[in-house]
Amino acid sequence: MSARRWFALALVAVPLVIAVAGPAFAESAPGERQTPFGPSSWSPFGTDRLGRDVLATALIGGHTFLLVAAITVIGSYTVGFVLGVAAAAAPRAWLDELLMRPMDVLLCLPSLLIIMVAALRTRGSAVAIAIAIGIALVAPIARFVRMAARPVVHGPVMDALRTQGESRRYRYANYAAREMIRPIAADLGVRFTAAVYFLASANFLGLGFDTTSADWAVSVAANKDALTIAPWSIALPAGLIVLLMVGVNLLCDDLLADPRSVAVRDSRRVIRRE
């Protein structure tokens, strides 16, 4: 594994570990409120606007944030993948058009507008916002999957398997899925980054969780006015979001890289060392 991939994994691991294991460590934090934007008796990061320890809040706030993003991406990618493969494998052109034209219309709608309408209509329901983010992601996912699947399902290998009498399940589950796994995995990371971006934007605008929530994006929005007197109340949750986004993007770039170019680059490094 390359050093770049290890670096990207390390960036992603920090916020993930904090989000998963953080609540257990935060149990030892003092329960009583302290002076807002002042020093804390539990950590060197001080307190936020509500007098809560900044580190304890960051340890708690990532769990729901990342869970909602992950569930949203899984749901939207499931729908988009089915639509994209169905359109790519459609035996008639009109069926492909029937599946893809609504996606083109959906692509024209601003994603944040869809999220804002859902938030206002449901009074900031986190479930409604997650569904709105999923709807905004379905169209680009379906278009990408269709593009990735089309040369595979209509290629000579698929025709040969069909001629040999292989079942549809074997052709798609074994051959097509294996050929598409690399671009799909890379795109999945990109969509997760987009979901985190939309979720953070919604929370920053006050459309998501309750304003007293420990959620990372809510903490950044709620404490933004105290940047000069309590910078850690903003820098810590914002830094965790940035680490996650940068790490996922680096992993996606690594997955999208041509294996042949990676091999050539590695061989050149070996030659230089020799």
Side-chain angles (χ1 to χ4, degrees):
M1 189 180 291
S2 64
R4 178 176 177 175
R5 184 172 297 185
W6 278 115
F7 177 68
L9 286 173
L11 293 180
V12 174
V14 172
L16 284 182
V17 170
I18 290 177
V20 174
F25 290 98
E27 291 179 357
S28 60
E32 66 277 2
R33 300 294 175 88
Q34 304 176 69
T35 304
F37 298 128
S40 173
S41 60
W42 191 70
S43 76
F45 297 100
T47 60
D48 63 5
R49 76 193 192 287
L50 298 177
R52 301 172 300 186
D53 184 87
V54 170
L55 179 58
T57 304
L59 291 173
I60 298 172
H63 184 73
T64 305
F65 181 76
L66 293 184
L67 183 63
V68 172
I71 294 176
T72 301
V73 172
I74 292 172
S76 59
Y77 219 97
T78 300
V79 176
F81 183 84
V82 172
L83 289 174
V85 173
R92 298 288 186 272
W94 65 266
L95 184 56
D96 183 13
E97 295 288 328
L98 182 64
L99 291 171
M100 286 295 103
R101 291 296 77 79
M103 298 298 101
D104 294 340
V105 174
L106 191 58
L107 279 172
C108 297
L109 300 177
S111 300
L112 282 178
L113 178 61
I114 299 175
I115 298 170
M116 291 175 66
V117 170
L120 295 175
R121 295 287 295 180
T122 60
R123 298 182 180 180
S125 170
V127 175
I129 292 174
I131 293 174
I133 295 174
I135 293 173
L137 291 176
V138 164
I141 289 172
R143 298 293 300 180
F144 178 85
V145 172
R146 176 183 177 275
M147 179 188 66
R150 195 167 183 82
V152 175
V153 300
H154 293 289
V157 177
M158 185 67 77
D159 293 337
L161 291 174
R162 190 181 298 109
T163 304
Q164 293 172 5
E166 298 290 350
S167 65
R168 182 184 294 270
R169 179 178 179 180
Y170 177 85
R171 296 198 308 268
Y172 285 93
N174 289 66
Y175 168 69
R178 187 173 62 252
E179 291 295 315
M180 294 168 56
I181 187 65
R182 190 166 156 268
I184 293 300
D187 186 64
L188 187 62
V190 174
R191 304 309 167 188
F192 178 76
T193 303
V196 170
Y197 165 76
F198 288 134
L199 188 60
S201 300
N203 290 335
F204 185 82
L205 294 173
L207 302 174
F209 301 113
D210 183 71
T211 54
T212 61
S213 169
D215 177 87
W216 291 343
V218 174
S219 297
V220 173
N223 299 311
K224 63 181 184 298
D225 295 332
L227 180 60
T228 56
I229 60 175
W232 279 113
S233 63
I234 303 170
L236 188 58
L240 291 171
I241 295 175
V242 170
L243 283 178
L244 180 67
M245 301 279 277
V246 172
V248 171
N249 274 289
L250 288 177
L251 281 177
C252 293
D253 290 342
D254 193 61
L255 288 172
L256 284 170
D258 187 354
R260 292 172 296 180
S261 64
V262 174
V264 170
R265 185 181 64 221
D266 293 341
S267 64
R268 287 175 179 173
R269 290 177 180 174
V270 173
I271 292 172
R272 291 195 191 103
R273 290 175 183 175
E274 293 177 350

